[in-house]
Amino acid sequence: MTGLLDAYAEVAGEDVIDHLNQLSRALQGLRVVHVNSTRTGGGVAEILHKLVPLMGELGIDADWQVMSGNQDFFDFTKNVHNGLQGNVIPFSEKAGKSYEEVNAENAGKLRAVLEEADVVFIHDPQPAPLLSLCPERKGKWIWRCHIDLSHPYRPVWRYLQRFLKDYDASIFSLAAFTQRLPHPKYIIPPSIDPLGSKNRDLPAEEIASVCAEFGIDTARPLIVQVSRFDRFKDPLGVIRAYRLVKKFNPDLQLVYAGGGASDDPEGDIVYQEVVDAAGDDPDVFILRLPPDANRTINALQRAATLVLQKSVREGFGLTVTEGMWKQKPVIGGDTGGIRLQVVNHHTGYLVNSPEGAALRIRYLLRQREKCEEMGIKAQQFVRDNFLLTRHLREYLTLITGLLYQREGRIELG
Amino acid sequence: MPARGKSGKRRNGRRPAVKGFQVRDCALIAISTGRKIRNLRELRDRLFDVDASSLDYHFWGSLLRPGFEEPDYVNDFAEWIYHELREKALAERVAMIDPFEFPDNEILRQELIEIIEEYLDGNEGLFWSKSDKQFEFMRSQIVVFSSNKTIERPELLPEVVPHLPVSSIFYHFIDARRRLAEGGDDFSSWLSGWGDRYDDLRVKLAAIDPYFTTLVDLRRRLVGVLEDYFRRSGDDRAA
C-alpha cells in the first residue's frame, strides 16, 4: 500500500482498501479525467481533492481539470442550478449564449486531454456541453449530477438535456433525482473524506480556540447549521426554530455558518436576509466563512450539541454526513439525500417545519444521554456507508461496467 | 475415467483431489430503470414487463443498501406497499414470498403478480403514494473479482470466514443461489467435492436462512455453524 491508502485503511479498515486494490487491478493505467467548475468550495471540489489522488495510488492515471468562466457564465449556471432544483425562474435559451461560449473556450484548452482520455467524468451542468465540443473523443463520458433533479423547471431541463443525450452514462445521488435520459443512470451517493481538514479529529484546544474567536460559550448548548446562504437550506426556518426553543432553553446558542463557493453569486442576497432575521440577538452567530475555512467548520461542528440541516430541497447533504461523522445527531429536513442518512430515532430526526425542528431540538437538549447514544450510532453509520472509499469503489465498479459493456454480471480474473 | 459412486468418491476408495476454495468478492452498483409507480395497479402492470434482474434487486437489494436495522418487510415491494400505500394485509403476504422457492425469476414474477391481482379482486387498491415516495424500479450490475485468497482445507473455514467482507459473503452465500444449478451456496458446493465427509456440515449450512437477516448477521451465523462443527469434530477425534 502507499501513504494515502495506508491512512484510509486506518479509518475505513484494511478490507475496504483490499477491495479497492482488487477492483482496480483491471483498470491499471487507465486515463480518467474529472472536470468541474470550481477548485474550492462546495461538496464536489472537496470530494475531488481526495478522490483523484486516491485513484492515482490505485494505479489509475487520474486527472482533474477545472473549467474557467466569467460572471455571466456563473450567473447563468446558478440560475440553471436553481431551475433544475425546481425553482420557476426567468429563463430563455438566448441567455445560454455565454454558457455555450465559455464551454467552447474551455474545450479549446481541454480538448486534447479529454479526447484522449479513456473515461471522462463531467460534474454538474457547468461543463456539460464539453462532450459535443470533443468530436474525436475515444473514451466513455459520464455526466455526474450532484443536484436534486426530481422536479426540474421544465424549460431549464429541456435546454440542458440536449447536451446530455450523447453521454455514455449518468450518475445521480438518489434514484428519485433521475430524469429520462437515453443511457444507463447509475445511483451513487456522494461521501465525505474522513482525513480531510473538515473531518479529521481536532485537539480540544483548537475547538475551544475557534469558539473563543467568535465569542461562543462552550459551556452552553449550541446548535449548528453549516450551509451555503441559499434559500433551499431554509436559513430563516433555522432562525425560527432556534427562537421557538430559546423560550424554553434561554442558554441556547445558534451558529449558521455559510461556506461560500465561487460559482454561487446569489449568496450575498440570502446572507443579508439571514443577518436581518437574526437581528441583534447576541447568541446567534451568522458566520460567512471563506471557502478554505475547513478546520473552522470542523471545530464548529465538533463544538455543537447537535447539528441541523433544515433544508427544504437538498441534493445529498454532505453537511449531514459531516455532522454525523463527528458523533452528532442531526435534525434534518425530510428531503433528498437527508432521508438516506438521518434515520429517525437512530441517527437523528427528519422534520418538515421549523416547529418540527424546534420540537426535536428541545427533546435532544433535554435527553443528553440519548443525544450521545445517537451520535455514536451516527458515526458508525457514516463509517459503513458514506466514506470516500465507498464512493471510489462505486466509481471503479461503474467504470468496469462501462468498459466491459456487459449487462448484469462482469467476471474479472 | 474411473466410475464414481453417488457421493463423488472413486469406487477404489481414493478421494479425487479437491482444489482449494477460491475466495471471490464482488461489488454491486445500482442502476435506475427510470420506471416509477404510485399505486397498486401501476405496480401490477409494471411487473409484467420490468426486467427480471429488477426482481433480484428488489428482493435482495436491501441487504446491500445503507440501513440501520432489518427492514420490517424484507423485500422492497412489501416495504413500499406497507409504508407508502398502507395496504398492510397485502404487505404481509408479499413479505412472505421467499425467492428461493422459485426456480427462476419468471415464476417469481408470476407469483408476485398473482398475489397482487388476487388482492385487487377483493379490494379497491385506491391508495397512492406521495409524489416523492414513488416506487422506483432499479436493477444492478455486479462486478466479480478474485480476492487472491484460497482456503486449502475445510478445517480452515472457521479461521477465514470471520474476516471475509460482507460483499464476499453476499457473493458466496446469496449470489451463488442464482449461479449454481443445484442451488445452495458456494461453500457447500465445494464441500461436496470431499465426498460425504462433510455432509453433516452441508446440512447445517443449508439450514441457514439467508433471507431474513443482514449480511453482518449472516456472516456471524455462518461462522457460528463452522466453529461449532469443527470444534465438535475435533472433540470426536480427541475422544
Side-chain angles (χ1 to χ4, degrees), chain A residues 386-402:
Chain A
F386 298 117
L387 294 185
L388 186 68
T389 40
R390 189 273 310 151
H391 197 169
L392 178 53
R393 184 191 74 215
E394 295 196 314
Y395 274 10
L396 298 179
T397 309
L398 177 156
I399 291 171
T400 308
L402 281 180

Side-chain angles (χ1 to χ4, degrees), chain B residues 64-124:
Chain B
L64 292 152
R65 285 198 297 276
F68 223 86
E69 51 195 13
E70 294 164 30
D72 291 342
Y73 285 100
V74 191
N75 67 61
D76 292 346
F77 300 110
E79 275 278 306
W80 183 73
I81 291 167
Y82 181 86
H83 289 290
E84 307 309 331
L85 300 185
R86 305 279 171 182
E87 303 272 12
K88 297 183 181 179
L90 177 62
E92 288 165 1
R93 287 194 64 191
V94 172
M96 277 307 292
I97 298 175
D98 183 348
F100 289 153
E101 287 182 3
F102 302 90
D104 65 51
N105 278 351
E106 290 310 318
I107 301 173
L108 175 62
R109 182 204 303 272
Q110 285 311 314
E111 173 72 6
L112 187 53
I113 290 171
E114 275 175 31
I115 288 176
I116 294 171
E117 286 195 323
E118 192 178 308
Y119 184 83
L120 282 170
D121 282 346
N123 298 273
E124 295 298 328

Side-chain angles (χ1 to χ4, degrees), chain A residues 185 339 406 408-410 412, chain B residues 32 132 141-142 144 167 175:
Chain A
K185 298 178 289 287
R339 287 177 180 156
R406 275 182 233 146
R409 176 180 296 269
I410 296 156
L412 303 175
Chain B
S32 166
D132 64 344
Q141 197 162 37
I142 180 169
V144 181
S167 47
D175 186 70

Side-chain angles (χ1 to χ4, degrees), chain A residues 19 22-23 25 175-176 185-188 339 346-347 377 381 385 394 397 406-413, chain B residues 24-27 29-32 66 68-69 132 136 138-139 141-148 167 175:
Chain A
H19 209 106
Q22 290 152 13
L23 197 48
R25 275 204 298 263
K185 298 178 289 287
Y186 289 85
I187 307 302
I188 303 181
R339 287 177 180 156
H346 291 284
T347 64
K377 286 170 101 172
F381 194 61
N385 300 295
E394 295 196 314
T397 309
R406 275 182 233 146
E407 285 289 313
R409 176 180 296 269
I410 296 156
E411 302 263 355
L412 303 175
Chain B
R24 292 176 75 75
D25 205 338
C26 68
I29 191 161
I31 303 173
S32 166
F68 223 86
E69 51 195 13
D132 64 344
E136 320 253 358
M138 307 283 290
R139 64 185 175 91
Q141 197 162 37
I142 180 169
V143 175
V144 181
F145 47 90
S146 166
S147 73
N148 285 344
S167 47
D175 186 70

Side-chain angles (χ1 to χ4, degrees), chain B:
Chain B
M1 193 172 175
R4 291 164 192 268
K6 200 175 174 183
S7 67
K9 276 182 179 172
R10 294 181 195 209
R11 283 196 178 143
N12 63 10
R14 284 189 303 166
R15 182 179 55 76
V18 180
K19 285 185 182 172
F21 183 89
Q22 301 289 323
V23 178
R24 292 176 75 75
D25 205 338
C26 68
L28 263 86
I29 191 161
I31 303 173
S32 166
T33 67
R35 294 178 168 192
K36 306 175 185 182
I37 47 119
R38 291 186 65 183
N39 63 37
L40 212 47
R41 289 176 193 281
E42 287 179 0
L43 173 60
R44 187 263 324 265
D45 293 346
R46 191 51 82 194
L47 279 170
F48 278 107
D49 58 11
V50 75
D51 193 279
S53 66
S54 253
L55 297 180
D56 279 334
Y57 182 88
H58 291 297
F59 273 96
W60 295 112
S62 63
L63 283 173
L64 292 152
R65 285 198 297 276
F68 223 86
E69 51 195 13
E70 294 164 30
D72 291 342
Y73 285 100
V74 191
N75 67 61
D76 292 346
F77 300 110
E79 275 278 306
W80 183 73
I81 291 167
Y82 181 86
H83 289 290
E84 307 309 331
L85 300 185
R86 305 279 171 182
E87 303 272 12
K88 297 183 181 179
L90 177 62
E92 288 165 1
R93 287 194 64 191
V94 172
M96 277 307 292
I97 298 175
D98 183 348
F100 289 153
E101 287 182 3
F102 302 90
D104 65 51
N105 278 351
E106 290 310 318
I107 301 173
L108 175 62
R109 182 204 303 272
Q110 285 311 314
E111 173 72 6
L112 187 53
I113 290 171
E114 275 175 31
I115 288 176
I116 294 171
E117 286 195 323
E118 192 178 308
Y119 184 83
L120 282 170
D121 282 346
N123 298 273
E124 295 298 328
L126 289 176
F127 294 106
W128 289 59
S129 72
K130 287 182 181 175
S131 65
D132 64 344
K133 298 279 177 73
Q134 298 179 67
F135 188 90
E136 320 253 358
F137 278 97
M138 307 283 290
R139 64 185 175 91
S140 61
Q141 197 162 37
I142 180 169
V143 175
V144 181
F145 47 90
S146 166
S147 73
N148 285 344
K149 287 191 189 96
T150 302
I151 304 173
E152 296 295 347
R153 302 187 315 279
E155 296 77 27
L156 297 173
L157 281 167
E159 285 176 33
V160 178
V161 173
H163 305 292
L164 294 183
V166 290
S167 47
S168 190
I169 298 290
F170 178 85
Y171 178 77
H172 288 302
F173 215 80
I174 290 174
D175 186 70
R177 288 156 208 266
R178 298 180 294 187
R179 283 184 279 109
L180 300 175
E182 69 274 23
D185 63 275
D186 286 335
F187 300 110
S188 296
S189 176
W190 178 56
L191 290 169
S192 71
W194 299 77
D196 53 13
R197 184 171 164 193
Y198 295 104
D199 280 0
D200 288 353
L201 177 56
R202 292 173 59 207
V203 168
K204 288 175 191 296
L205 291 175
I208 297 176
D209 181 351
Y211 197 48
F212 297 94
T213 187
T214 64
L215 287 175
V216 171
D217 188 50
L218 180 58
R219 180 174 57 193
R220 187 184 57 74
R221 289 161 62 203
L222 187 55
V223 169
V225 166
L226 293 169
E227 285 179 345
D228 185 58
Y229 176 83
F230 285 104
R231 189 177 55 246
R232 281 172 195 268
S233 58
D235 291 347
D236 290 347
R237 278 199 299 274

Side-chain angles (χ1 to χ4, degrees), chain A residues 296-328:
Chain A
T296 304
I297 289 170
N298 188 345
L300 291 169
Q301 287 168 326
R302 288 180 190 279
T305 313
L306 54 93
V307 163
L308 294 184
Q309 188 58 51
K310 221 210 81 49
S311 305
V312 290
R313 184 68 62 85
E314 187 62 70
F316 183 75
L318 282 171
T319 49
V320 170
T321 332
E322 290 162 11
M324 286 167 56
W325 180 243
K326 287 150 191 142
Q327 297 195 348
K328 309 297 173 187

Side-chain angles (χ1 to χ4, degrees), chain A residues 1-8 17 20-21 24 28 30 32-34 39 44-66 121 123 193 195-196 200 388-389 392 395-396:
Chain A
M1 269 196 265
T2 55
L4 201 52
L5 288 171
D6 280 336
Y8 278 94
I17 304 303
L20 292 175
N21 275 310
S24 60
Q28 295 299 293
L30 203 73
V32 176
V33 183
H34 292 266
R39 181 83 60 185
V44 180
E46 281 173 27
I47 288 169
L48 290 178
H49 270 295
K50 279 289 167 53
L51 195 80
V52 172
L54 266 176
M55 279 184 157
E57 289 205 1
L58 290 167
I60 295 166
D61 182 1
D63 185 13
W64 174 15
Q65 298 287 338
V66 178
F121 285 88
H123 293 266
D193 173 16
L195 301 180
R200 70 170 67 128
L388 186 68
T389 40
L392 178 53
Y395 274 10
L396 298 179

